[in-house]
Structure formats: C-alpha cells, structure tokens
Amino acid sequence: MSIEKEIKDLRSQLHQYNHEYYVLDNASISDYEFDMLLKKLQALEDKHPEYSDDNSPTKRVGGAVTKKFDTVMHQHRMYSLDNSYSQEDLQAWEKRIKKVIEEEAIEYTCELKYDGASISLTYENGVLLKAVTRGDGFQGDDVTENIKTIKSVPLRLKGNDIPSKFDIRGEIVLPFEGFHKMNDERIALGEEPYANTRNTASGSLKLQDSSEVAKRPLECLLYSLVGDQLPIETQFTSLGKARSWGFKVPEIAVKVDSIEGVLDFVNVWDTKRHQLPYETDGVVIKVNDLKQQELLGHTAKAPRWAMAYKFKAEQVVTTLESVSYQVGRTGAITPVANLTAVEIAGTTVKRASLHNADQIAKLDVRVGDQVYVEKGGEIIPKIVGVNFEERDVNSQPLAYAATCPECDSVLLRTDGDAKHYCPNEQSCPPQVIGRIEHYISRKAMDIEGLGGETVALLVKEGLINDFTDLYDLEVSQLLPLERMAQKSAENLVNGVAASIHIPFEKVLFALGIRFVGETVAKKLAFHFKAIEALKEADQETLEGVDEIGTKIAQSVVAYFSETLNWNRIEKLKLKGVQMVIDESQLPKVSSSILDGKIIVVSGVFEKISRNDLKKMIEENGGKVGSSISSKTSFIVAGDKMGPSKLAKAQKLGVEIWDEERFLLELNDS
Ligand code: AMP
Ligand code: ZN
C-alpha cells in the first residue's frame, strides 16, 4: 500500500471512531487502540508533510496559536430570536403568523434552547472550511482552529445528499461535568471559579492557544442548516439529515401542530431539563415548513418564523440571616449571604454569592430582609432582589466589613478594584495557607506527600509560615504531629527535596504572582530565561513581551519591588530551586552547523518568536531566505504556514522542519 493511501485510510478510520465516540456515544474500539492509531497517523504525517491535511484527526489536539482572530462576513446573516414568556405571548405570535399564512395548516418544531455561544460552521465539499462566531450577526470572528479541537465537530462529513456548500448553525456548550472539573482545579489553585457555563464556553472560543481549547470538554450542538438550494423541506427533517451527515444534533426535538402542543413540550422540559448534562434556558419554536418560513421572513433583528420561550429561572424567597466574608489566597474578600435553608431546582441552598460591596449597595440588601434568590446558569445561587414591603422598620443598611474576619487587619480597596483586600499577606491564615497550597499544587511544584490538610496543620503548629520554610522541615519535627507516621514524614521531606528539579517556568508560576497563571509564567520564563532578568525588567520591557498586558506587567513589577518577595526567591535559590530556564530547552547560540544553508521561516511559533528564530539561523551560520525557491535548503514552519507556500515547497521538494526538530537539530550538533 502506498504511504499516501495508508495515511488516508487511517484518517477515515479515525474520523469514524471519533464520530462513534463523541457523537453517537457508542465507541467500537478502546481508548488505547484509538490512541495507538492516532499516534501512528501522527508519525506518518510528521515524516510525510507533503500529504498534510488541515482536517486530519491529528489536528484535534490543537497547537495553532491565533494572535488576532480574523473578522469574517457571514454569508447568511445570523439573526437573534424574539423572546416570549407566557402562553399569551405564544398565542399572539401564532396570530401574527396566521395573518401571513392564511390557508395552510402550520406545524412547529420544538427544540431546546442550548445556553452557550452560537457558532456558524461552513462546509465545502464535505469538509469543514470555517467556523465563525456570531459577532454582530453580520460578521464574526474566525475561530476555526479552536473549533477543530472539539471532537464532536465533524471535520469531514459522511452520507448522501451533502450539499456542495452550506452553513450549519449551532451552539458551543460546556457540559456541567467538565465545567465542575475545571472549577475544582481552579479552586485548588486558589483561582476564582468560573461563574457559569455560558461565559466559559464563549471565553474558550477566543483563547489564543488552541491546545488550551482542546483541553476543555466543549460540545457543539447543531440545530439549523443554512444555504442556497438545500435538499430539505422542513426544519424537522433537516435535523435528521444533519445527524446523518455526522453532526451532533440533540434528539430532543418534536414536531407539533398547535401552540397547545408547544406548551406540552415546554411543560415537560421546564423540569426535565435539570437532568440534562448541559445548560438550557428555554425552548425554540420554529415554523416547520421552510416555504412557510420564507413567506414569513425576518424583522430587522429576528426571523418571524421562530420564537424563543424562556424558562423562568427558579426563584424563591427566603431570609438573609447574616453576611460572612471569605478571604482568598491573594487576600481578596468575597461577601457571602447566609440564608434560611430553602429548596431551589432540587437542591438545598443555604448560601448565596453577594460578589462585592457595590453589589450589596446596589441591592440595598440588609440582614433580616426577605430576599429573592435565583439559580440560573450560575453554579452559586444569587440574590436578585429584596422584598422591601416586608422590611423591618428598624433595619439598618448593611455595613461592609471594615476588618479581615481572619486576622483583623483593616481591609483596603484600591481604585478600580471591585473587591476589598486584606493587606496582611504575611500572617493572615487563609493567605498564608493558600499561597503554600498553590506552591505545592500539581501544576506548580507538584510536591508529593503533602496535601492541603497537612499544610494547614503545619502552619497551625508554627512549623511553616511560608513555602520557603518547607525546605527546612525535618522528619524529627514532623513525627510528633497528629497522624504523622515515619513513612509519611519521610515522604513529605523527600517530596519537598525532589521539587528542586521542577523547571523554572513552573517555579515562576508557583510563586503565585498575581495574574501570572501557568501560560503567562511560561511566556515570561522563556523570554527572560532567568529570575534576575525578570526582576530587572521594567513595565515597558514587560509589556513588550508577547501577550503580556498592562495588568500583568504592573503586577510583576509590584511583586519584585517588595524586598520580602526577593528574600523568598534568594532562599529558594540557596536551596537549589531552579531559577533559570533549562539550557537544553533553549536554542543554541553560535555554531557553524547552518553554514551555506538558506532557510525560509514561515508560520507562528510556540517556543521562540519569529525574530529570535531568524537570529538563531544567522548566528549558526545560515542565511534567512525571503521566499521559497530551488535554492532553499529547508523551511522552518510553525503553525499557520500559508497554503501557497506549502504547495510551492511540495512542488520543489523542499524539506519542512517544525520548530521542535529545528531546535533539536541545533542542540544535538
Ligand atoms: P438570543 O441570544 O437570546 O437572541 O437567542 C438567540 C440564540 O439562541 C441564537 O443565536 C442561538 O445561538 C441560540 N440557540 C440555542 N438553541 C437554539 C436552537 N435550538 N435553535 C435556534 N437558536 C438556538
Ligand atoms: Zn486577613
């Protein structure tokens, strides 16, 4: 079998397995077998870039980095939907329809309204061409690279009757299970959890690094075909058609012949929706017959043939008993309402978020008030209003906490910040413990043998007050502690000792500098290469680094301006913790191994910038070529190499190296 055929066969097998697993929920091979096939394909593609394909199943893992999303015009406008909230609204809508369609019977399709981010996918000749956000309805952002990482989006269609070009519209949603998992991880890292699935889903679409998107368990639910001369006559049958081509179209859809039928569907799903794995916020009712739809047309904003019916967010009334204040790792204060226990959407609720002082003032909520509590898309219920008629005449406005509930320090609030802070970084227990917990966490120093409870105990016993103190711990000090056996004490000490091998970029993240998350830490580490250089960098220098904005730059400068932080770093350095980037990961400077070579650079790179790459070529004896010709020795290609360049390279048989290979070859020489 030819290599090309082998690659193509593997691709179509993998497309099929993906579809079985992610769309049909019915896998026919094990995860392991799947991974093996994918690895095999990846290896073949690496060896034979001439057969590369943008829609290969290997592209699902992401990797492409988009600096700025291109704006794309929608071929067919993406309309909004009119909303209705009652039976009367729906009947009034039917009346309007019947004025236009007088003679014929009217059928409706009822679907759920999925609560996520809308998306338009364009397919040409059965292949995914583009994925664009709704934007303002006329034009949106090209998020194709990110959408490709969502496994239930078919990259290649199957079946019959597929129009040569069409758009399909749907919603990108984040199912609860994955959402909660993401939040658990964030909480473990001392980060603020995401508030709801909708914003998290739409935020995910705009991440610059598609491999980050690939890690998020997003789903794409589709509901509408758009195009010229499509082989469909009704909305309901089009759903089946789309399903047969490989799209994930929820089965929860019915065809009814009256508004009464619509209401039956609404009533069933108003409660049953709580059992679904993803968020829904209503029902969408569409006139089923596409010819009737055409007759009805659109208003300036929405189709006349469709209507959203919004479920009421479940609301209950209960008493606000007290307000307490939580202190996070960074000292940020969050007010929490303590309520008389009450049932909402099947769960008992005792607490609700109050966000910050402004929110409390806006609601004018007071202790003893009867408050309206709602559980919408948010995980934490919120107070949406106060029943002022029931308010006690003697009630007083709520005085926001002046001091920290944990350490009594006077709280501060800086201009432009919605939250109050406890400034007592050094000895406010949740901050002390939170910082250490962050330091040892999996994505930071990954210290084995030490968990959150032990950290709290060690702090309480006065053995540590700072993550740098971990390195002074001795087995003999630990043994007297509750539930601490010889073995676990040894594990703890060994775990801490082993952390000196953790690479610099993770150490930088572990320090817990505000706004310096995992990705930013990596960027800064690779750019500055050593902690001293980062310390020396001023605001302007920092902002000159890719993806580093004002907020992050300010925070880094502020961090290093504190002697205490620098003392911590000095101490870690003495203990052997990595404060420079591992040289073997870095490009080598100056050699003659590229002597006489002409090298073309194309695309976007991950580890080094294009400019650094060009500099490296020159420092190692090579010349940077501006365009591909028969004289080109090879091309270093990142993501997003242009298709015309690729074609030219293939035609001339010029070898293409990726970033990894280039760095490897330079370093191995
Ligand atoms: P709105 O954003 O409130 O104007 O509602 C319109 C949006 O509802 C559309 O842009 C879609 O993103 C979304 N939607 C969710 N489910 C459906 C569905 N089954 N049919 C049509 N639109 C839907
Ligand atoms: Zn405090």
Side-chain angles (χ1 to χ4, degrees):
M1 186 162 46
S2 78
I3 297 286
E4 185 176 7
K5 177 149 185 349
E6 191 177 355
I7 289 179
K8 285 197 168 151
D9 285 354
L10 270 171
R11 281 186 192 140
S12 61
Q13 273 182 43
L14 285 162
H15 280 307
Q16 176 60 22
Y17 293 138
N18 252 322
H19 179 250
E20 287 173 1
Y21 188 88
Y22 289 102
V23 179
L24 305 179
D25 228 350
N26 185 14
S28 65
I29 62 167
S30 71
D31 290 0
Y32 177 77
E33 287 167 302
F34 183 89
D35 288 345
M36 288 300 113
L37 287 175
L38 192 67
K39 278 217 174 93
K40 189 167 160 195
L41 174 60
Q42 183 72 64
L44 284 171
E45 288 181 349
D46 288 347
K47 236 169 107 187
H48 298 278
E50 66 273 26
Y51 302 128
S52 89
D53 173 0
D54 273 349
N55 283 321
S56 166
T58 53
K59 297 289 187 270
R60 299 279 196 194
V61 294
V65 175
T66 314
K67 291 271 169 260
K68 193 177 165 303
F69 295 97
D70 289 337
T71 306
V72 179
M73 276 301 276
H74 293 297
Q75 203 116 102
H76 303 269
R77 183 166 158 201
M78 283 179 91
Y79 284 94
S80 170
L81 289 171
D82 281 334
N83 288 324
S84 61
Y85 301 90
S86 65
Q87 181 169 352
E88 291 71 46
D89 288 351
L90 287 176
Q91 274 154 351
W93 175 54
E94 184 174 47
K95 234 191 201 152
R96 295 199 294 275
I97 292 177
K98 286 197 166 157
K99 275 196 193 143
V100 181
I101 298 164
E102 290 168 315
E103 305 286 290
E104 296 167 0
I106 300 168
E107 287 182 326
Y108 304 95
T109 312
C110 302
E111 299 158 33
L112 287 177
K113 188 164 188 291
Y114 319 111
D115 197 14
S118 31
I119 194 80
S120 180
L121 309 176
T122 303
Y123 284 81
E124 204 173 271
N125 302 321
V127 179
L128 174 65
L129 190 69
K130 249 187 193 7
V132 183
T133 62
R134 180 161 87 172
D136 63 3
F138 295 99
Q139 52 184 32
D141 288 331
D142 182 340
V143 290
T144 314
E145 292 302 329
N146 287 345
I147 292 298
K148 276 185 187 169
T149 68
I150 302 173
K151 315 286 193 303
S152 55
V153 172
L155 301 179
R156 212 168 258 289
L157 304 179
K158 62 192 187 69
N160 308 318
D161 250 11
I162 303 173
S164 61
K165 184 162 185 184
F166 68 97
D167 291 352
I168 185 163
R169 304 261 161 93
E171 202 81 0
I172 305 294
V173 298
L174 182 57
F176 296 120
E177 194 189 336
F179 175 68
H180 292 316
K181 222 162 103 194
M182 278 172 69
N183 266 345
D184 288 347
E185 281 180 18
R186 286 180 76 83
I187 291 164
L189 291 177
E191 289 168 40
E192 195 62 29
Y194 293 118
N196 62 50
T197 54
R198 185 202 325 113
N199 294 353
T200 317
S202 64
S204 302
L205 295 188
K206 302 297 271 303
L207 291 175
Q208 293 191 330
D209 182 350
S210 62
S211 61
E212 285 303 313
V213 186
K215 288 184 209 150
R216 300 197 172 179
L218 300 164
E219 281 278 9
C220 180
L221 307 175
L222 296 147
Y223 48 71
S224 152
L225 292 171
V226 185
D228 302 320
Q229 287 159 2
L230 298 180
I232 47 169
E233 278 159 14
T234 69
Q235 167 65 12
F236 194 74
T237 49
S238 77
L239 295 176
K241 266 265 154 71
R243 219 173 269 136
S244 77
W245 295 336
F247 292 106
K248 186 151 192 158
V249 178
E251 299 277 351
I252 307 162
V254 296
K255 194 173 67 181
V256 297
D257 55 13
S258 66
I259 291 297
E260 284 66 45
V262 170
L263 288 167
D264 286 343
F265 183 85
V266 166
N267 287 333
V268 169
W269 285 100
D270 196 1
T271 42
K272 212 169 159 190
R273 70 192 177 103
H274 296 299
Q275 294 163 21
L276 292 172
Y278 44 79
E279 183 75 43
T280 54
D281 63 344
V283 168
V284 183
I285 306 119
K286 298 170 186 166
V287 168
N288 192 37
D289 189 306
L290 299 194
K291 280 207 223 65
Q292 291 180 348
Q293 285 189 5
E294 218 178 293
L295 276 175
L296 287 161
H298 297 81
T299 65
K301 179 183 149 264
R304 287 201 186 85
W305 45 263
M307 182 59 84
Y309 182 96
K310 289 283 181 98
F311 292 130
K312 283 181 205 58
E314 276 203 63
Q315 209 182 67
V316 291
V317 180
T318 187
T319 311
L320 174 66
E321 295 184 348
S322 63
V323 175
S324 44
Y325 298 86
Q326 285 177 346
V327 188
R329 156 167 78 86
T330 55
I333 308 289
T334 307
V336 179
N338 299 307
L339 308 165
T340 306
V342 63
E343 286 265 312
I344 314 182
T347 53
T348 308
V349 171
K350 280 191 238 159
R351 288 148 78 76
S353 167
L354 279 168
H355 303 290
N356 52 47
D358 291 344
Q359 178 73 7
I360 292 177
K362 200 170 122 205
L363 290 167
D364 180 24
V365 61
R366 304 177 183 187
V367 170
D369 274 348
Q370 294 292 301
V371 293
Y372 299 107
V373 179
E374 211 175 87
K375 193 166 166 160
E378 281 71 26
I379 27 169
I380 307 170
K382 58 181 177 194
I383 294 182
V384 293
V386 174
N387 184 350
F388 292 109
E389 283 169 19
E390 298 276 311
R391 174 171 282 172
D392 190 296
V393 284
N394 297 319
S395 89
Q396 294 298 317
L398 205 127
Y400 199 84
T403 56
C404 174
E406 304 276 348
C407 74
D408 273 341
S409 305
V410 174
L411 298 182
L412 297 182
R413 185 181 185 182
T414 31
D415 279 350
D417 237 336
K419 293 212 160 189
H420 285 69
Y421 283 87
C422 165
N424 181 12
E425 257 189 69
Q426 280 336 292
S427 46
C428 180
Q431 296 189 56
V432 170
I433 295 172
R435 265 198 312 270
I436 302 173
E437 281 180 339
H438 171 73
Y439 186 83
I440 65 170
S441 65
R442 199 171 43 81
K443 288 184 177 170
M445 302 303 275
D446 194 18
I447 296 185
E448 280 180 39
L450 186 56
E453 261 174 58
T454 316
V455 169
L457 184 66
L458 293 173
V459 171
K460 193 172 135 235
E461 295 293 327
L463 287 173
I464 58 174
N465 190 50
D466 189 291
F467 49 75
T468 60
D469 298 336
L470 290 169
Y471 295 88
D472 299 326
L473 287 174
E474 285 169 21
V475 173
S476 61
Q477 288 177 298
L478 298 171
L479 285 177
L481 296 180
E482 234 178 286
R483 275 177 295 153
M484 184 67 79
Q486 178 77 25
K487 188 83 197 137
S488 32
E490 278 169 13
N491 283 347
L492 197 163
V493 172
N494 292 339
V496 171
S499 74
I500 64 166
H501 302 297
I502 293 292
F504 176 50
E505 62 271 23
K506 292 201 171 185
V507 177
L508 193 55
F509 172 57
L511 293 178
I513 305 171
R514 229 175 139 207
F515 305 128
V516 178
E518 219 187 337
T519 325
V520 171
K522 221 186 239 172
K523 278 263 164 336
L524 292 174
F526 279 107
H527 188 274
F528 290 98
K529 301 186 175 67
I531 197 92
E532 281 80 7
L534 181 59
K535 183 192 177 202
E536 293 309 318
D538 59 12
Q539 173 93 15
E540 201 181 329
T541 316
L542 283 160
E543 284 188 47
V545 180
D546 252 8
E547 281 180 46
I548 305 299
T550 313
K551 207 170 72 170
I552 300 172
Q554 272 169 355
S555 166
V556 171
V557 170
Y559 179 88
F560 285 107
S561 69
E562 297 229 12
T563 328
L564 183 93
N565 288 328
W566 189 249
N567 289 346
R568 282 189 181 129
I569 290 166
E570 290 284 2
K571 179 165 173 198
L572 291 178
K573 249 199 319 197
L574 277 177
K575 296 290 177 184
V577 173
Q578 303 298 313
M579 290 294 169
V580 288
I581 212 85
D582 176 2
E583 286 296 332
S584 69
Q585 287 203 52
L586 279 184
K588 193 162 178 176
V589 267
S590 74
S591 76
S592 53
I593 68 162
L594 298 177
D595 266 357
K597 298 256 191 316
I598 301 175
I599 299 152
V600 172
V601 175
S602 173
V604 189
F605 302 88
E606 201 174 313
K607 284 200 175 142
I608 30 179
S609 71
R610 264 169 87 99
N611 278 341
D612 285 348
L613 192 73
K614 288 183 178 169
K615 221 163 79 194
M616 271 175 70
I617 291 174
E618 281 159 5
E619 281 165 356
N620 287 283
K623 262 210 186 110
V624 179
S626 55
S627 64
I628 302 169
S629 73
S630 57
K631 295 211 185 74
T632 308
S633 312
F634 62 89
I635 299 165
V636 187
D639 276 307
K640 296 246 158 121
M641 174 173 176
S644 60
K645 274 195 180 164
L646 187 67
K648 190 152 183 201
Q650 283 165 356
K651 199 168 129 226
L652 295 170
V654 180
E655 227 185 308
I656 301 176
W657 293 14
D658 62 11
E659 184 182 1
E660 292 292 328
R661 173 162 177 205
F662 180 76
L663 295 177
L664 214 67
E665 301 255 356
L666 279 203
N667 286 322
D668 282 355
S669 58

